[in-house]
């Protein structure tokens, strides 16, 4: 079964909005062209990446000044993210969920 990462905003400019991350690499930043665009003065133009490796998701800050937190702990290198984790980028916090695709057009959510 294919899986996608779902980030649902719980604070900041993306509060209440789910974002599906289904590619191998997704850019988070404040500039156009980013997969997850955050309008936040604390977010760098190319702030962080979400990478998929062997069906596991990782977040990677792209600059020493890029503040990224997982469950309140600062991320200094590659950090795995999993179901129910809280990921903070700038002032936006997201809750992580996994979406499993069962068949074309049918999806289920695990919270």
């Amino acid at each position: 079964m294919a899986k996608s990462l779902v980030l649902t905003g719980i604070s900041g400019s993306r509060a209440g909005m789910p974002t599906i991350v289904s590619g191998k690499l997704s850019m988070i930043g404040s500039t156009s062209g980013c997969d997850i665009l955050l309008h936040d003065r604390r977010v760098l133009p190319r702030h962080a990446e979400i990478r998929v490796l062997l069906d596991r998701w990782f977040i990677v800050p792209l600059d020493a000044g890029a503040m990224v937190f997982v469950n309140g702990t600062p991320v200094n290198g590659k950090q795995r993210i999993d179901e129910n984790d809280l990921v903070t980028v700038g002032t936006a916090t997201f809750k992580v969920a996994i979406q499993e695709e069962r068949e074309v057009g049918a999806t289920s959510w695990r919270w």
Side-chain angles (χ1 to χ4, degrees):
M1 269 186 243
K3 296 180 183 179
S4 296
L5 187 74
V6 179
L7 301 175
T8 301
I10 59 172
S11 72
S13 64
R14 305 284 297 221
M17 297 174 21
T19 301
I20 298 173
V21 180
S22 57
K24 295 287 184 192
L25 179 73
S26 294
M27 178 71 59
I28 301 171
S30 62
T31 189
S32 62
C34 288
D35 302 296
I36 301 172
L37 179 61
L38 299 176
H39 300 287
D40 185 329
R41 291 187 302 163
R42 294 186 180 181
V43 174
L44 301 173
R46 291 175 37 93
H47 199 91
E49 290 177 340
I50 295 178
R51 301 176 186 168
V52 179
L53 180 63
L54 301 173
D55 286 333
R56 292 186 172 99
W57 288 270
F58 298 86
I59 191 160
V60 182
L62 297 177
D63 185 275
M67 299 301 292
V68 176
F69 298 85
V70 174
N71 298 322
T73 303
V75 176
N76 297 314
K78 182 170 69 173
Q79 172 68 45
R80 183 173 173 185
I81 53 177
D82 206 352
E83 188 87 21
N84 294 317
D85 281 346
L86 296 178
V87 175
T88 302
V89 177
T91 61
T93 299
F94 301 89
K95 184 172 182 177
V96 176
I98 306 296
Q99 176 181 348
E100 295 184 22
E101 300 174 10
R102 295 185 177 182
E103 52 187 75
V104 176
T107 57
S108 67
W109 298 78
R110 292 188 313 155
W111 292 97

